[in-house]
Amino acid sequence: MTSPTSKEILRQSLRQARDSYARALDPAERAGLEAAAIGRLRAVLGPGVWASYLAMGSEISPARVADNAPPDQPIAFPWFESREARMLFRLGGGVFSSGPFGIRQPPGTAPEMRPDWIIVPLVGVDPAGNRIGQGAGHYDRALQSLREDGRVTTIGLAWDVQLVDSIAADPWDQPLDLIITPSRTIRTRP
Ligand SMILES: Nc1nc2c(c(=O)[nH]1)N(C=O)[C@@H](CNc1ccc(C(=O)N[C@@H](CCC(=O)O)C(=O)O)cc1)CN2
Ligand SMILES: Nc1ncnc2c1ncn2[C@@H]1O[C@H](COP(=O)(O)OP(=O)(O)OP(=O)(O)O)[C@@H](O)[C@H]1O
């Protein structure tokens, strides 16, 4: 058994910080903070396909980004054939059913989409856009392949407590273009 890497230790402490922060919010307060973040998201999202996610546990929820979106705005969601498969994006809007990670997802019959904008869930993030996620490499792999064949703008969404001074990036890490919290919008590159 090997000892945990410093990234795993940081992931664990950031997850704990996120969990205890979110647990302490009362529902109205949480909804207000999420609404503030959604306002910031709507100010940066542009034309094309958006990819969102269905929040779990203590994650900040982007669900209401669909409110006041342009008519017929396509919004895609992560989709997995199995736990081992790579992450794809499929069009949401109809029914969602349970996926292999306990997160609901569109049906396998929903069209596969190439997102122009991706709202990325986070465990932690730094102001340069280096991120820590669940550790399975789902977003790193998906972003690498999307960036290889075109442009995609990535927006990390987090509670303010998830923003830390510095995260050491691994060679495979895909940095974020923007970070949005209830109180801040950070562009990681000019
Ligand atoms: N809301 C949400 N959707 C998402 C992600 C995410 O981080 N958040 N993903 C990001 O890649 C992808 C799913 N990838 C995942 C990879 C691993 C685990 C996982 O190991 N979960 C732990 C529980 C972790 C916790 O308590 O926070 C588990 O199942 O034991 C979950 C999702 C796509 N959809
Ligand atoms: N482009 C890639 N090709 C192959 N493997 C990759 C690629 N990107 C990441 N990985 C693998 O996936 C894992 C990602 O671990 P890491 O701790 O960086 O995840 P993370 O930053 O929490 O990101 P994610 O939210 O994407 O899971 C590593 O084991 C890495 O080797």
PDB file of all heavy atoms in Angstrom, residues 16 19 37 50 57 101 103 113 130 139 142 145 162 164 171-172 189:
ATOM      1  N   GLN A  16     -13.562  18.098   2.659  1.00  0.00           N
ATOM      2  CA  GLN A  16     -14.089  18.321   4.008  1.00  0.00           C
ATOM      3  C   GLN A  16     -14.495  19.769   4.208  1.00  0.00           C
ATOM      4  O   GLN A  16     -15.539  20.066   4.783  1.00  0.00           O
ATOM      5  CB  GLN A  16     -13.039  17.937   5.057  1.00  0.00           C
ATOM      6  CG  GLN A  16     -13.131  16.462   5.438  1.00  0.00           C
ATOM      7  CD  GLN A  16     -11.944  16.006   6.285  1.00  0.00           C
ATOM      8  OE1 GLN A  16     -11.195  16.824   6.819  1.00  0.00           O
ATOM      9  NE2 GLN A  16     -11.765  14.688   6.395  1.00  0.00           N
ATOM     10  N   ASP A  19     -17.677  20.334   2.305  1.00  0.00           N
ATOM     11  CA  ASP A  19     -18.811  19.684   2.963  1.00  0.00           C
ATOM     12  C   ASP A  19     -19.261  20.461   4.199  1.00  0.00           C
ATOM     13  O   ASP A  19     -20.457  20.692   4.383  1.00  0.00           O
ATOM     14  CB  ASP A  19     -18.449  18.246   3.374  1.00  0.00           C
ATOM     15  CG  ASP A  19     -18.260  17.337   2.172  1.00  0.00           C
ATOM     16  OD1 ASP A  19     -18.523  17.784   1.026  1.00  0.00           O
ATOM     17  OD2 ASP A  19     -17.824  16.191   2.354  1.00  0.00           O
ATOM     18  N   ALA A  37     -24.138  33.096  -8.154  1.00  0.00           N
ATOM     19  CA  ALA A  37     -23.210  32.426  -9.073  1.00  0.00           C
ATOM     20  C   ALA A  37     -23.843  32.238 -10.452  1.00  0.00           C
ATOM     21  O   ALA A  37     -23.177  32.416 -11.479  1.00  0.00           O
ATOM     22  CB  ALA A  37     -22.760  31.086  -8.493  1.00  0.00           C
ATOM     23  N   TRP A  50     -24.017  24.488 -24.332  1.00  0.00           N
ATOM     24  CA  TRP A  50     -23.513  24.549 -22.949  1.00  0.00           C
ATOM     25  C   TRP A  50     -23.511  23.145 -22.368  1.00  0.00           C
ATOM     26  O   TRP A  50     -24.412  22.346 -22.649  1.00  0.00           O
ATOM     27  CB  TRP A  50     -24.418  25.402 -22.056  1.00  0.00           C
ATOM     28  CG  TRP A  50     -24.607  26.825 -22.486  1.00  0.00           C
ATOM     29  CD1 TRP A  50     -23.923  27.505 -23.465  1.00  0.00           C
ATOM     30  CD2 TRP A  50     -25.565  27.765 -21.948  1.00  0.00           C
ATOM     31  NE1 TRP A  50     -24.396  28.792 -23.564  1.00  0.00           N
ATOM     32  CE2 TRP A  50     -25.391  28.977 -22.662  1.00  0.00           C
ATOM     33  CE3 TRP A  50     -26.537  27.690 -20.957  1.00  0.00           C
ATOM     34  CZ2 TRP A  50     -26.172  30.114 -22.389  1.00  0.00           C
ATOM     35  CZ3 TRP A  50     -27.318  28.811 -20.690  1.00  0.00           C
ATOM     36  CH2 TRP A  50     -27.130  30.014 -21.389  1.00  0.00           C
ATOM     37  N   GLY A  57     -24.452  16.215  -3.348  1.00  0.00           N
ATOM     38  CA  GLY A  57     -23.949  16.536  -2.011  1.00  0.00           C
ATOM     39  C   GLY A  57     -23.709  18.017  -1.799  1.00  0.00           C
ATOM     40  O   GLY A  57     -24.608  18.844  -1.965  1.00  0.00           O
ATOM     41  N   PHE A 101     -22.231   6.522 -11.596  1.00  0.00           N
ATOM     42  CA  PHE A 101     -21.609   7.126 -10.410  1.00  0.00           C
ATOM     43  C   PHE A 101     -22.654   7.646  -9.434  1.00  0.00           C
ATOM     44  O   PHE A 101     -22.366   8.467  -8.572  1.00  0.00           O
ATOM     45  CB  PHE A 101     -20.634   8.239 -10.823  1.00  0.00           C
ATOM     46  CG  PHE A 101     -19.451   7.713 -11.586  1.00  0.00           C
ATOM     47  CD1 PHE A 101     -19.430   7.743 -12.966  1.00  0.00           C
ATOM     48  CD2 PHE A 101     -18.372   7.148 -10.912  1.00  0.00           C
ATOM     49  CE1 PHE A 101     -18.347   7.233 -13.678  1.00  0.00           C
ATOM     50  CE2 PHE A 101     -17.286   6.631 -11.603  1.00  0.00           C
ATOM     51  CZ  PHE A 101     -17.275   6.665 -12.990  1.00  0.00           C
ATOM     52  N   ILE A 103     -25.069   9.511 -10.194  1.00  0.00           N
ATOM     53  CA  ILE A 103     -25.506  10.836 -10.634  1.00  0.00           C
ATOM     54  C   ILE A 103     -26.426  10.603 -11.825  1.00  0.00           C
ATOM     55  O   ILE A 103     -26.102   9.819 -12.715  1.00  0.00           O
ATOM     56  CB  ILE A 103     -24.295  11.693 -11.071  1.00  0.00           C
ATOM     57  CG1 ILE A 103     -23.264  11.788  -9.938  1.00  0.00           C
ATOM     58  CG2 ILE A 103     -24.746  13.090 -11.511  1.00  0.00           C
ATOM     59  CD1 ILE A 103     -21.910  12.321 -10.390  1.00  0.00           C
ATOM     60  N   MET A 113     -23.351  15.535 -27.791  1.00  0.00           N
ATOM     61  CA  MET A 113     -23.104  16.937 -28.111  1.00  0.00           C
ATOM     62  C   MET A 113     -21.624  17.262 -27.944  1.00  0.00           C
ATOM     63  O   MET A 113     -20.939  16.692 -27.106  1.00  0.00           O
ATOM     64  CB  MET A 113     -23.891  17.850 -27.165  1.00  0.00           C
ATOM     65  CG  MET A 113     -25.377  17.566 -27.067  1.00  0.00           C
ATOM     66  SD  MET A 113     -26.267  17.819 -28.605  1.00  0.00           S
ATOM     67  CE  MET A 113     -26.474  19.605 -28.574  1.00  0.00           C
ATOM     68  N   ASN A 130      -5.936  26.000 -12.019  1.00  0.00           N
ATOM     69  CA  ASN A 130      -5.596  24.605 -11.705  1.00  0.00           C
ATOM     70  C   ASN A 130      -6.671  24.053 -10.797  1.00  0.00           C
ATOM     71  O   ASN A 130      -7.082  24.707  -9.839  1.00  0.00           O
ATOM     72  CB  ASN A 130      -4.236  24.528 -11.000  1.00  0.00           C
ATOM     73  CG  ASN A 130      -3.123  25.052 -11.871  1.00  0.00           C
ATOM     74  OD1 ASN A 130      -3.017  24.688 -13.040  1.00  0.00           O
ATOM     75  ND2 ASN A 130      -2.314  25.937 -11.318  1.00  0.00           N
ATOM     76  N   TYR A 139     -12.857  14.837 -16.369  1.00  0.00           N
ATOM     77  CA  TYR A 139     -12.816  16.137 -17.046  1.00  0.00           C
ATOM     78  C   TYR A 139     -11.467  16.370 -17.717  1.00  0.00           C
ATOM     79  O   TYR A 139     -11.416  16.917 -18.817  1.00  0.00           O
ATOM     80  CB  TYR A 139     -13.190  17.276 -16.088  1.00  0.00           C
ATOM     81  CG  TYR A 139     -14.695  17.421 -15.952  1.00  0.00           C
ATOM     82  CD1 TYR A 139     -15.386  16.792 -14.925  1.00  0.00           C
ATOM     83  CD2 TYR A 139     -15.428  18.146 -16.881  1.00  0.00           C
ATOM     84  CE1 TYR A 139     -16.771  16.883 -14.823  1.00  0.00           C
ATOM     85  CE2 TYR A 139     -16.818  18.251 -16.786  1.00  0.00           C
ATOM     86  CZ  TYR A 139     -17.473  17.620 -15.746  1.00  0.00           C
ATOM     87  OH  TYR A 139     -18.842  17.714 -15.661  1.00  0.00           O
ATOM     88  N   ALA A 142     -11.684  14.511 -21.009  1.00  0.00           N
ATOM     89  CA  ALA A 142     -12.674  15.100 -21.932  1.00  0.00           C
ATOM     90  C   ALA A 142     -12.176  16.458 -22.455  1.00  0.00           C
ATOM     91  O   ALA A 142     -12.273  16.742 -23.650  1.00  0.00           O
ATOM     92  CB  ALA A 142     -14.016  15.262 -21.231  1.00  0.00           C
ATOM     93  N   SER A 145      -9.371  16.112 -25.068  1.00  0.00           N
ATOM     94  CA  SER A 145      -9.802  15.715 -26.406  1.00  0.00           C
ATOM     95  C   SER A 145     -10.626  16.818 -27.079  1.00  0.00           C
ATOM     96  O   SER A 145     -10.491  17.049 -28.270  1.00  0.00           O
ATOM     97  CB  SER A 145     -10.464  14.335 -26.375  1.00  0.00           C
ATOM     98  OG  SER A 145     -11.841  14.441 -26.426  1.00  0.00           O
ATOM     99  N   GLN A 162     -13.700  27.096  -1.726  1.00  0.00           N
ATOM    100  CA  GLN A 162     -12.965  26.111  -2.533  1.00  0.00           C
ATOM    101  C   GLN A 162     -11.799  26.733  -3.299  1.00  0.00           C
ATOM    102  O   GLN A 162     -11.007  26.018  -3.906  1.00  0.00           O
ATOM    103  CB  GLN A 162     -13.926  25.419  -3.514  1.00  0.00           C
ATOM    104  CG  GLN A 162     -14.957  24.557  -2.818  1.00  0.00           C
ATOM    105  CD  GLN A 162     -15.988  24.022  -3.801  1.00  0.00           C
ATOM    106  OE1 GLN A 162     -17.103  24.520  -3.897  1.00  0.00           O
ATOM    107  NE2 GLN A 162     -15.598  23.024  -4.568  1.00  0.00           N
ATOM    108  N   VAL A 164      -8.346  28.258  -3.396  1.00  0.00           N
ATOM    109  CA  VAL A 164      -7.147  28.267  -2.550  1.00  0.00           C
ATOM    110  C   VAL A 164      -5.996  28.940  -3.307  1.00  0.00           C
ATOM    111  O   VAL A 164      -6.058  29.122  -4.512  1.00  0.00           O
ATOM    112  CB  VAL A 164      -6.763  26.842  -2.091  1.00  0.00           C
ATOM    113  CG1 VAL A 164      -7.859  26.251  -1.226  1.00  0.00           C
ATOM    114  CG2 VAL A 164      -6.465  25.918  -3.282  1.00  0.00           C
ATOM    115  N   PRO A 171       1.129  16.997 -15.104  1.00  0.00           N
ATOM    116  CA  PRO A 171       1.279  17.229 -16.553  1.00  0.00           C
ATOM    117  C   PRO A 171      -0.029  17.070 -17.337  1.00  0.00           C
ATOM    118  O   PRO A 171      -0.203  17.713 -18.370  1.00  0.00           O
ATOM    119  CB  PRO A 171       2.291  16.166 -16.984  1.00  0.00           C
ATOM    120  CG  PRO A 171       2.953  15.671 -15.750  1.00  0.00           C
ATOM    121  CD  PRO A 171       2.057  15.984 -14.592  1.00  0.00           C
ATOM    122  N   TRP A 172      -0.927  16.216 -16.864  1.00  0.00           N
ATOM    123  CA  TRP A 172      -2.155  15.954 -17.613  1.00  0.00           C
ATOM    124  C   TRP A 172      -3.291  16.918 -17.240  1.00  0.00           C
ATOM    125  O   TRP A 172      -4.351  16.893 -17.849  1.00  0.00           O
ATOM    126  CB  TRP A 172      -2.633  14.513 -17.366  1.00  0.00           C
ATOM    127  CG  TRP A 172      -2.864  14.213 -15.910  1.00  0.00           C
ATOM    128  CD1 TRP A 172      -3.960  14.561 -15.161  1.00  0.00           C
ATOM    129  CD2 TRP A 172      -1.974  13.540 -15.021  1.00  0.00           C
ATOM    130  NE1 TRP A 172      -3.806  14.143 -13.878  1.00  0.00           N
ATOM    131  CE2 TRP A 172      -2.596  13.507 -13.763  1.00  0.00           C
ATOM    132  CE3 TRP A 172      -0.712  12.949 -15.182  1.00  0.00           C
ATOM    133  CZ2 TRP A 172      -1.987  12.915 -12.649  1.00  0.00           C
ATOM    134  CZ3 TRP A 172      -0.126  12.354 -14.077  1.00  0.00           C
ATOM    135  CH2 TRP A 172      -0.766  12.349 -12.828  1.00  0.00           C
ATOM    136  N   ARG A 189      -6.751  33.733 -17.758  1.00  0.00           N
ATOM    137  CA  ARG A 189      -5.817  34.253 -18.771  1.00  0.00           C
ATOM    138  C   ARG A 189      -6.423  35.524 -19.337  1.00  0.00           C
ATOM    139  O   ARG A 189      -7.638  35.612 -19.464  1.00  0.00           O
ATOM    140  CB  ARG A 189      -5.630  33.253 -19.910  1.00  0.00           C
ATOM    141  CG  ARG A 189      -4.657  32.143 -19.573  1.00  0.00           C
ATOM    142  CD  ARG A 189      -4.752  31.053 -20.621  1.00  0.00           C
ATOM    143  NE  ARG A 189      -5.955  30.262 -20.385  1.00  0.00           N
ATOM    144  CZ  ARG A 189      -5.922  29.034 -19.862  1.00  0.00           C
ATOM    145  NH1 ARG A 189      -4.782  28.492 -19.559  1.00  0.00           N
ATOM    146  NH2 ARG A 189      -7.021  28.366 -19.655  1.00  0.00           N
TER     147      ARG A 189
END
